[in-house]
Amino acid sequence: MRRVNAPGSLETLRRRNRGLVLHAVQAGGATSRVDIVRATGLSRTTVSSLVNELLADGLLAEGTDRVGGPSPHQTGRPPTRLTLEPSGGAVLGIHLRHDGIRLALADLAGSVLAEVLVDLDVDHHADAALTYVEETTNELLAEAGLARERLLGAGVAVSSPVPTRPRHGPALLTTWHDIDVAAALGERLGVPVQVGNDANLGATAERFFGAARTTRNLVYVMLAEGVGAGLFLDGRPYHGAKGVAGEFGHVVVAPGGRVCRCGNRGCLETVAGADALAAALPTRADGRTPDLDDVLEACRAGDPGAVRIVADAGRAVGTALAGVCTMLDPDLVVIGGRTAAAGAPLMGGIVETLQRGVPPSDESLVPVIAGELGSRAEVLGAVALAIARSPLAVPVLV
């Protein structure tokens, strides 16, 4: 009879502690056993045992240089430097956007080894998207000089809610309703595949690699083809009772406004999504319908119409954020996604209405900053998800 580890079993506890040690090393970049004890609260004996186990498994490396340099009062052998072992394997991050796919092959330290972005109508061409991921994965592995067996897992960021209740493909992607994304890609790639909402994973990436590294209570807003949000509360990701928290784009900001793809009217996405911004620009001189890149280019060039379009979108985002910030009292709001590249007009609009919409006190002024990772945040979050859920590691905060 197959043995199953109960949630409170010693094996489960050990796997959790392995994850704590790996996370401490990843967060510190390079650290000693003593640092790990301080960071995790685990005993010296437990940390020593787990470090030796992780060294043997090839997940940690022990450097020859010393941590902090020699101390005049130190006796015995100084502590050695521990780092994640990049050659322990590789993972694949996948961002299935509405209008394209970004793939990033990374080592177990999260360093990107190879990356590619392609324009593709993902919403309406599910099979083509899956085939592209399969074929391009082989190309990325070859580019990085890695054998196929070195790929340990993959993480997928999808532009749709990922509820905790089992069901098939993303609800708002047109041709994906009958597709189990994790199963379909797992079969094609031959590795475990984890799926997460793209805004949630963008928040994860900014929380661990980007602008929010010291933040415990975070609201991350992703503005791109769609509009979404990812939340960290008290240092942990918040996904809601059913796993669908953060559907920020479907907060109603213009009652009676345009019909949204979700079926409601006046959702934030109908005002601040890429299609809404592009539709507000006049047709180009060459007859081509404008897209988000045209909006961003015109805005950066100071075109008055484009600046007004983006600023109005920012004000709508700020209006929706005011309620969120009043309820959750975050330390920080990070604006990410492709539209964040619009810069000052967008950020100014957000801050203007956010400040008007929260209770009037100095303590309520929530800092609003642009993300550091740009449009790569979601795929880097997918990389983090794949690392955390790989067969050799344990999820801690993803």
Side-chain angles (χ1 to χ4, degrees):
M1 182 174 67
R2 185 171 65 91
R3 180 177 177 181
V4 178
N5 292 318
S9 69
L10 290 177
E11 178 61 24
T12 298
L13 178 62
R14 188 167 186 84
R15 285 177 57 81
R16 174 185 175 277
N17 289 343
R18 277 169 59 103
L20 289 173
V21 170
L22 287 169
H23 177 65
V25 175
Q26 183 180 40
T31 189
S32 70
R33 288 169 173 81
V34 174
D35 293 329
I36 295 172
V37 170
R38 294 194 191 104
T40 63
L42 300 173
S43 70
R44 288 175 178 266
T45 301
T46 298
V47 167
S48 178
S49 172
L50 291 171
V51 166
N52 289 337
E53 181 181 303
L54 291 165
L55 287 168
D57 286 345
L59 287 177
L60 290 182
E62 199 165 27
T64 55
D65 53 333
R66 307 303 185 188
V67 177
S71 167
H73 306 293
Q74 185 178 45
T75 59
R77 191 176 75 172
T80 52
R81 186 179 297 270
L82 294 166
T83 60
L84 292 179
E85 174 52 69
S87 64
V91 297
L92 183 69
I94 305 163
H95 184 192
L96 297 177
R97 306 182 338 186
H98 291 290
D99 65 345
I101 301 174
R102 187 187 294 270
L103 300 179
L105 183 71
D107 62 29
L108 293 182
S111 298
V112 174
L113 307 174
E115 186 173 359
V116 66
L117 170 66
V118 65
D119 292 332
L120 181 68
D121 183 2
V122 173
D123 285 17
H124 300 91
H125 295 92
D127 190 64
L130 295 173
T131 299
Y132 175 82
V133 170
E134 180 182 10
E135 295 175 349
T136 307
T137 297
N138 294 327
E139 296 172 8
L140 293 178
L141 286 167
E143 181 181 336
L146 295 176
R148 184 60 181 259
E149 55 268 22
R150 294 278 297 283
L151 185 66
L152 299 180
V156 186
V158 296
S159 299
S160 177
V162 181
T164 52
R165 295 174 182 172
R167 65 166 173 75
H168 292 301
L172 297 180
L173 301 186
T174 307
T175 60
W176 295 76
H177 294 290
D178 298 322
I179 297 176
D180 184 327
V181 177
L185 279 175
E187 182 178 351
R188 288 172 179 256
L189 299 178
V191 296
V193 175
Q194 313 295 329
V195 178
N197 171 261
D198 54 1
N200 289 337
L201 293 179
T204 295
E206 291 288 357
R207 173 70 172 77
F208 290 107
F209 308 131
R213 281 190 284 266
T214 61
T215 304
R216 293 187 60 79
N217 296 286
L218 167 69
V219 175
Y220 171 80
V221 178
M222 185 195 74
L223 301 174
E225 286 68 35
V227 176
L231 306 172
F232 270 78
L233 302 181
D234 197 23
R236 303 190 67 85
Y238 180 76
H239 298 146
K242 297 181 290 296
V244 295
E247 282 302 293
F248 190 56
H250 300 288
V251 173
V252 175
V253 294
R258 290 175 54 199
V259 175
C260 180
R261 61 196 173 100
C262 74
N264 287 334
R265 283 188 177 273
C267 292
L268 179 60
E269 189 171 300
T270 68
V271 178
D275 287 347
L277 297 179
L281 279 185
T283 302
R284 288 169 50 100
D286 59 7
R288 184 172 63 82
T289 301
D291 57 19
L292 180 59
D293 289 333
D294 295 317
V295 176
L296 297 177
E297 182 180 350
C299 187
R300 287 191 292 263
D303 177 81
V307 169
R308 178 59 185 266
I309 291 166
V310 169
D312 285 348
R315 293 184 187 98
V317 172
T319 298
L321 269 175
V324 175
C325 291
T326 299
M327 289 292 292
L328 299 181
D329 185 28
D331 301 312
L332 182 67
V333 172
V334 174
I335 307 299
R338 290 177 63 205
T339 308
L346 176 71
M347 301 298 288
I350 292 173
V351 171
E352 175 189 330
T353 51
L354 177 58
Q355 289 182 341
R356 286 205 309 262
V358 295
S361 68
D362 290 342
E363 292 78 10
S364 68
L365 297 179
V366 181
V368 180
I369 64 173
E372 291 182 2
L373 304 177
S375 60
R376 299 177 69 231
E378 288 69 36
V379 79
L380 295 177
V383 164
L385 177 64
I387 292 172
R389 307 285 175 88
S390 74
L392 299 180
V394 176
V396 179
L397 290 175
V398 178

